[in-house]
Amino acid sequence: MSDSNDLRSDLPIERGFPIEQVNDLADREGRAKLHYRPLTTMHKWWARRLGSVFRAISLYSLVSDPDQVTVRDPDKADHDLAEFGEVSEVEAAKAELKEMIERVDLSEPDAMWDLYDKDVRVDDADVLDPFMGGGTSLLEAIRFDADVTGVDLNPVAWFITKKELEANTVDLEDLRNGFEKVEAAIADKLQSQYETTCPNNGEHIADVVYAFWVRELDCTSCGEVVPLFKDYRVAKGRYEDDDRYHVYCPDCGNVFLTDDYETETICSDCGNEYVPENGPVSSGGHYGCPSCGLKYSIVDALADGQSYDESLYALEYYCTECEDEGKDRPAYKGFKPAAEEDVDSFERASERWANRDKIDEYAPKGDIPRGAITASSSISGNDVFQHGYESWRDMFNDRQLYCLSTLLEAIDEEVTDQTVKEYLLLAFSDSLMFQNNFSVYNINATKIRGIFRQNSFMPTVEYAENNVWGTRAGLGTFSNTWVKIVDAVDYAHSPTERYIEDGETQETAPFEKSVGGEYTLHQGDINEVDLESEYDAIITDPPYYDNVVYSEVSDFFYVWQRLLLADGYDEFKPETTPREDSIVANPAQGKGADVFESELKNALSRMHDVLSDDGVLVFTYRHGTPDTWGTLLESLCEEGFDVTATYPISANLSEFVVGEELNFSVVVVARPATDREPISWSSLRRRVHRTASETRERLQSGQTLSEGDISIVEMGRCFREYSNHHRKVHRGGSVMSATDVVSEIYDIISGNVTPDEIYLDLLELDETTLDDVNRFCRGTDIDPEDLRRRALFVADEEFALTDWSTEERLDYLREKDVDDLSPLEKVQLLRYEDEKDATAPGEQLDLEVTSEMIDIAEELATITDEEGYRTLVGA
């Protein structure tokens, strides 16, 4: 690639981006991530972008020179013309590819879209992601045969991405053998901890899918034990009972079906009459004592010195024996009250944990660090310490700790292949989300929900205990998480691509190229790690102002992972993940928006240093307010970037509302800055208005987009205009900041322009027609008739723009009160008076010459080449 900005041509992603196609595909991927991108679902990471989005970004960013590109069609046997075809065929293919690339623009953004589902490879492409997180961008770029480099401060992110990029080199048979060793060693032992008597056949032993627990406190008034139920529902009915609910009887402990949990219900066993909807816990975290009626805060009761007790009250069971005998689903899978034998089973596991020996080494011992989301802050109102959580072990009950540590010990001791051991550890770690006492049961969906339902820790008074090893049913067990790992590794060897054809999702044959290649991963600060200095592209998803505090939530995984990794990886030697250098606003560390902005600017500076002169920076960013966009634009421009395009990647956005934050993402494209020229705001504002209008017109000619989507693309094109003049836009004798300009751009995009600005835009055209007037007014609040009323043009016989000497315009100007004249109208009237009378300008009208009038006079002088405008206010 060239090292000169002068020779630099626009990349396809700067000229256009297939918003409709990407959003349609991303919407489908979002509902079925396991099928579209098995690799990125191997392990939890927060705020992952969709693979289809980053594949499209990589395609439109890296594919620009047809001589560096090879295209293979996975659905055809002889699909590589560059390798198998005749010379004439190769040349024809290259010419077709060149034509596809060059056709991409706003009116035809999908000119390259046919390449999306092809095995496209680009020679000599180096891609960096300085905030790689879970590695989505690297996985997509490496599929284009790019050499990729990833950086992340968080060791959990580093480890996840490492295993994703290694997956194509792993032998599937070795993985299966490793799992079988662990299975043979401890599967029966773990499964025996979750057994119960089948309620339909007392001779059958059923598996416990989930165990339902409720926490209890003593009433501070009468001492009565209060089970902290919000309501008494256990689960929605299934199959033929899907219009009913399983509910728990607080008197006898029975679990039975009711037609309506919101009204008076009679227990089928004891005859107790109650309303299952009404539990002792109310909104706001208060309980009401069923005996004396006292209402009291739960956290206050804990602060008074109480601690939670727990009661096992119900089970979801799965009887494989009944299923194998051919019984109906309601017989082999359902709900039952917890019996004494079920409590005893838990107590036995608890005793084994209490008498632990070596397995104690396989559970984290450290305390939970205080932070922004572990203790209450502006980021999270969930203070785990108020609920009695002090150590990581407090997040698990005794049976979970016994089973998890036993499982981790088996992974460590039964498997000698370090690579296989790490993939088993990855499955173990990911399953932890559903193996803790923060997990809850989704009553209506009848499945477990893991600890990170929000990007925080949410203490709960009821929780669902999962079957650690797993059975034929259930979610988030070790065994079914392992299946997810194996599927991901298989995909890494033989990836496919899903695409949409005639409204239906299709899947290609496997690509010849695996998801792998040359990669380098750094765990550390982007400003400190050793990087190359000529990356062709930086593709990333950077932190946002109120982003997830990854260090705190990822500690949940880290403290378990390091038990097996600390001896082999320096990244896992510290007790917790690094915090101080995280680029995120964190009130627990006194880091507000100003610190975040400073740290992000430093990172942008480093990115500029390592990006080639004709390279591209592409990143996704959450759409925000004019202030946040102004700060981002300022930072990019200050650190040597020009913003050249923005595209929305959230489908169905209905409107663009100025000043109101909308939660969707935007693809931002930036290039190393070119020379910047001074300009007046009056001139730039008109360029921005014209750019926005032209952008809208071109988009509407080639795509069907919402007003909001169009506005985001307009915003990017307007940012491009500004970037060429950063720190050199003057208004009223001062230089405008990027934030000021962005605020004005928002107004322009929303149609807030003046008749004068439209007139000046029209004046710059070589030949102006009434169609141009209509076109320039489209998308604004200005009616073409308003321009006619102001006599800015005449169209009685032939169309013509007016000027200061046109009789119709002069009549309009003379009729107005001087104080009501716009800057353009004042300049034109002064120009007429000056031409009529040689006395000093402004004397007759007693007008104060303003900076806006000076700017407009200069613009008129430039456009019309009339020196009279310049001398008019030159003094």
Side-chain angles (χ1 to χ4, degrees):
M1 294 185 176
S2 166
D3 288 334
S4 171
N5 286 339
D6 294 336
L7 302 177
R8 188 175 77 193
S9 59
D10 284 352
L11 297 171
I13 198 166
E14 296 178 272
R15 302 195 306 270
F17 193 66
I19 298 165
E20 288 180 280
Q21 289 82 357
V22 172
N23 281 339
D24 194 3
L25 197 56
D27 182 56
R28 300 185 190 208
E29 181 186 343
R31 298 194 298 267
K33 296 175 187 176
L34 274 169
H35 300 292
Y36 279 76
R37 291 294 186 276
L39 275 171
T40 59
T41 60
M42 279 207 301
H43 195 284
K44 167 72 176 179
W45 191 254
W46 292 266
R48 273 189 187 268
R49 297 301 181 186
L50 295 171
S52 53
V53 172
F54 272 90
R55 178 167 178 80
I57 288 172
S58 296
L59 174 65
Y60 277 68
S61 300
L62 302 179
V63 178
S64 60
D65 182 353
D67 292 330
Q68 291 183 303
V69 177
T70 304
V71 181
R72 293 173 167 86
D73 188 337
D75 292 323
K76 295 179 181 178
D78 55 346
H79 48 264
D80 184 0
L81 287 177
E83 186 173 334
F84 300 110
E86 299 293 334
V87 173
S88 59
E89 293 177 314
V90 173
E91 291 176 349
K94 292 295 184 185
E96 181 183 1
L97 180 59
K98 183 175 186 291
E99 192 262 343
M100 291 171 71
I101 294 169
E102 291 178 347
R103 273 192 2 245
V104 173
D105 65 12
L106 289 177
S107 59
E108 197 177 358
D110 57 351
M112 286 172 55
W113 189 245
D114 282 346
L115 298 176
Y116 178 87
D117 60 327
K118 305 299 187 294
D119 188 352
V120 180
R121 308 184 196 182
V122 182
D123 294 338
D124 301 323
D126 292 302
V127 175
L128 168 69
D129 186 345
F131 307 105
M132 67 183 177
T136 302
S137 61
L138 303 183
L139 291 170
E140 299 306 323
I142 208 168
R143 293 184 66 190
F144 288 86
D145 214 21
D147 293 349
V148 300
T149 300
V151 183
D152 204 287
L153 185 66
N154 195 290
V156 177
W158 174 85
F159 180 64
I160 293 170
T161 305
K162 179 177 183 291
K163 303 318 293 181
E164 291 169 343
L165 289 169
E166 286 177 359
N168 74 303
T169 67
V170 177
D171 189 306
L172 280 164
E173 195 59 33
D174 290 344
L175 285 185
R176 294 188 181 101
N177 289 339
F179 176 79
E180 288 170 2
K181 289 179 180 179
V182 174
E183 184 178 37
I186 48 89
D188 289 343
K189 180 189 292 187
L190 297 184
Q191 287 177 313
S192 69
Q193 309 306 311
Y194 294 93
E195 293 180 341
T196 188
T197 300
C198 174
N200 301 298
N201 186 328
E203 296 181 0
H204 289 177
I205 300 299
D207 295 321
V208 174
V209 183
Y210 306 117
F212 300 97
W213 292 85
V214 63
R215 294 197 162 102
E216 300 171 332
L217 289 172
D218 294 338
C219 174
T220 58
S221 176
C222 69
E224 178 79 11
V225 174
V226 182
L228 301 175
F229 287 103
K230 294 179 180 177
D231 62 57
Y232 294 108
R233 287 177 299 162
V234 176
K236 195 174 190 298
R238 296 193 183 106
Y239 319 124
E240 65 269 20
D241 293 317
D242 61 3
D243 58 344
R244 307 173 76 195
Y245 278 88
H246 297 273
V247 296
Y248 172 76
C249 175
D251 270 18
C252 70
N254 183 33
V255 172
F256 63 98
L257 278 164
T258 183
D259 293 331
D260 187 358
Y261 74 92
E262 297 176 310
T263 60
E264 196 76 23
T265 298
I266 301 175
C267 174
S268 58
D269 269 14
C270 70
N272 175 39
E273 295 186 16
Y274 70 111
V275 178
E277 183 183 31
N278 299 330
V281 175
S282 61
S283 60
H286 290 73
Y287 71 81
C289 177
S291 294
C292 70
L294 174 74
K295 293 190 180 301
Y296 204 72
S297 165
I298 293 172
V299 294
D300 286 349
L302 294 169
D304 290 343
Q306 286 200 57
S307 58
Y308 288 126
D309 284 328
E310 294 181 348
S311 176
L312 176 65
Y313 68 93
L315 304 171
E316 180 174 354
Y317 68 90
Y318 194 110
C319 183
T320 57
E321 293 183 78
C322 284
E323 182 182 26
D324 293 342
E325 289 176 356
K327 291 193 168 117
D328 293 337
R329 287 183 299 178
Y332 64 75
K333 185 181 182 185
F335 302 89
K336 57 174 284 191
E340 186 176 344
E341 64 169 353
D342 300 312
V343 176
D344 290 343
S345 177
F346 175 82
E347 293 297 339
R348 287 193 296 272
S350 181
E351 186 176 345
R352 293 186 187 100
W353 173 246
N355 296 325
R356 62 194 178 270
D357 186 13
K358 191 175 180 182
I359 61 169
D360 187 54
E361 301 172 13
Y362 292 94
K365 296 184 175 70
D367 290 337
I368 302 168
R370 288 187 172 271
I373 61 176
T374 54
S376 184
S377 75
S378 58
I379 292 177
S380 170
N382 306 310
D383 190 324
V384 301
F385 304 103
Q386 286 185 337
H387 290 265
Y389 293 94
E390 296 293 337
S391 72
W392 293 110
R393 290 187 179 186
D394 292 337
M395 291 187 169
F396 307 87
N397 69 30
D398 286 353
R399 179 161 56 185
Q400 290 172 327
L401 286 169
Y402 170 71
C403 291
L404 290 169
S405 56
T406 300
L407 173 55
L408 193 58
E409 178 190 30
I411 292 171
D412 192 28
E413 295 193 347
E414 299 296 330
V415 181
T416 56
D417 185 315
Q418 181 63 25
T419 297
V420 174
K421 182 182 294 188
E422 289 178 6
Y423 280 98
L424 285 160
L425 173 62
L426 204 65
F428 172 89
S429 175
D430 192 57
S431 72
L432 288 172
M433 284 192 296
F434 303 92
Q435 309 283 358
N436 57 78
N437 55 30
F438 283 69
S439 297
V440 298
Y441 194 72
N442 186 325
I443 291 172
N444 290 310
T446 62
K447 63 182 181 181
I448 197 169
R449 297 182 67 199
I451 186 171
F452 296 121
R453 302 178 297 283
Q454 297 179 3
N455 297 321
S456 181
F457 299 106
M458 301 170 61
T460 180
V461 290
E462 299 174 66
Y463 71 92
E465 179 190 358
N466 205 354
N467 185 316
V468 171
W469 182 268
T471 181
R472 293 183 191 176
L475 173 70
T477 67
F478 175 74
S479 57
N480 62 25
T481 303
W482 177 249
V483 172
K484 190 172 66 169
I485 298 289
V486 173
D487 289 345
V489 172
D490 188 32
Y491 175 86
H493 284 273
S494 301
T496 62
E497 194 56 59
R498 292 173 188 256
Y499 61 99
I500 300 171
E501 186 174 83
D502 298 327
E504 299 295 327
T505 303
Q506 308 292 335
E507 185 175 12
T508 67
F511 286 26
E512 289 183 6
K513 185 187 182 310
S514 63
V515 185
E518 295 295 322
Y519 68 89
T520 303
L521 300 180
H522 300 280
Q523 183 270 312
D525 186 342
I526 177 61
N527 293 305
E528 297 176 1
V529 297
D530 186 21
L531 297 172
E532 297 177 20
S533 58
E534 288 294 320
Y535 291 99
D536 299 303
I538 298 176
I539 301 175
T540 189
D541 177 33
Y544 192 71
Y545 284 86
D546 54 355
N547 218 343
V548 183
V549 184
Y550 298 111
S551 57
E552 293 187 28
V553 285
S554 63
D555 272 343
F556 177 79
F557 299 122
Y558 178 85
V559 294
W560 287 90
Q561 290 175 348
R562 71 181 298 271
L563 297 174
L564 265 58
L565 298 178
D567 289 343
Y569 295 107
D570 290 341
E571 292 84 354
F572 283 86
K573 291 193 183 303
E575 292 291 325
T576 63
T577 60
R579 281 161 168 66
E580 292 296 329
D581 296 326
S582 295
I583 302 178
V584 63
N586 188 340
Q589 296 177 326
K591 294 172 66 172
D594 54 342
V595 177
F596 166 81
E597 291 164 7
S598 174
E599 291 175 340
L600 185 59
K601 280 190 68 175
N602 291 338
L604 288 170
S605 177
R606 183 73 197 283
M607 284 186 255
H608 183 270
D609 290 343
V610 300
L611 186 65
S612 66
D613 289 342
D614 60 348
V616 62
L617 166 63
V618 187
F619 60 94
T620 52
Y621 208 65
R622 202 176 80 198
H623 179 56
T625 63
D627 283 346
T628 57
W629 276 113
T631 300
L632 178 64
L633 183 60
E634 179 90 26
S635 298
L636 284 163
C637 291
E638 284 292 295
E639 301 309 324
F641 288 103
D642 287 340
V643 175
T644 58
T646 56
Y647 306 103
I649 53 170
S650 177
N652 302 319
L653 176 67
S654 61
E655 59 182 342
F656 180 83
V657 184
V658 176
E660 180 178 329
E661 183 174 344
L662 299 175
N663 190 14
F664 66 98
S665 292
V666 178
V667 174
V668 181
V669 184
R671 304 292 296 274
T674 54
D675 293 337
R676 288 167 173 159
E677 300 292 335
I679 191 172
S680 71
W681 168 239
S682 174
S683 179
L684 179 60
R685 180 181 172 100
R686 290 191 300 102
R687 290 190 190 182
V688 166
H689 171 235
R690 186 163 58 247
T691 295
S693 298
E694 291 171 354
T695 298
R696 175 176 291 269
E697 185 174 2
R698 292 169 65 193
L699 284 170
Q700 291 176 333
S701 70
Q703 302 183 69
T704 304
L705 300 177
S706 71
E707 281 298 309
D709 287 346
I710 291 172
S711 296
I712 294 301
V713 183
E714 288 179 297
M715 182 177 74
R717 291 302 190 266
C718 295
F719 285 179
R720 183 171 189 161
E721 290 287 348
Y722 168 76
S723 295
N724 295 326
H725 308 283
H726 175 63
R727 282 199 172 278
K728 295 187 176 183
V729 180
H730 57 85
R731 177 173 66 179
S734 61
V735 175
M736 294 180 70
S737 69
T739 300
D740 290 339
V741 172
V742 170
S743 179
E744 297 280 2
I745 287 173
Y746 264 56
D747 285 345
I748 293 169
I749 290 173
S750 298
N752 187 9
V753 298
T754 66
D756 291 357
E757 288 161 342
I758 293 178
Y759 170 80
L760 291 170
D761 281 337
L762 292 166
L763 201 61
E764 281 194 302
L765 300 180
D766 291 334
E767 293 184 7
T768 310
T769 67
L770 187 58
D771 286 342
D772 293 321
V773 174
N774 292 325
R775 181 165 59 89
F776 277 45
C777 288
R778 194 179 305 138
T780 75
D781 294 330
I782 305 302
D783 190 309
E785 282 303 311
D786 188 37
L787 299 186
R788 187 197 297 268
R789 184 182 61 79
R790 294 169 184 267
L792 287 168
F793 70 85
V794 292
D796 295 335
E797 296 180 2
E798 292 185 1
F799 176 87
L801 292 175
T802 61
D803 63 13
W804 60 270
S805 63
T806 306
E807 184 176 350
E808 290 88 344
R809 179 64 170 169
L810 281 171
D811 289 343
Y812 171 79
L813 296 177
R814 290 183 184 126
E815 289 175 1
K816 292 189 70 173
D817 188 282
V818 172
D819 293 335
D820 295 332
L821 292 171
S822 71
L824 171 67
E825 291 167 345
K826 290 177 181 178
V827 169
Q828 287 185 322
L829 200 53
L830 281 174
R831 177 75 179 87
Y832 167 74
E833 295 288 344
D834 187 54
E835 189 73 20
K836 182 185 69 173
D837 191 337
T839 58
E843 181 178 296
Q844 302 92 331
L845 295 176
D846 192 25
L847 286 175
E848 179 183 355
V849 176
T850 66
S851 60
E852 285 182 295
M853 292 170 63
I854 294 172
D855 287 343
I856 287 175
E858 289 177 345
E859 289 298 310
L860 286 168
T862 301
I863 295 169
T864 64
D865 201 27
E866 284 190 42
E867 192 63 23
Y869 279 119
R870 189 168 287 113
T871 58
L872 178 67
V873 291

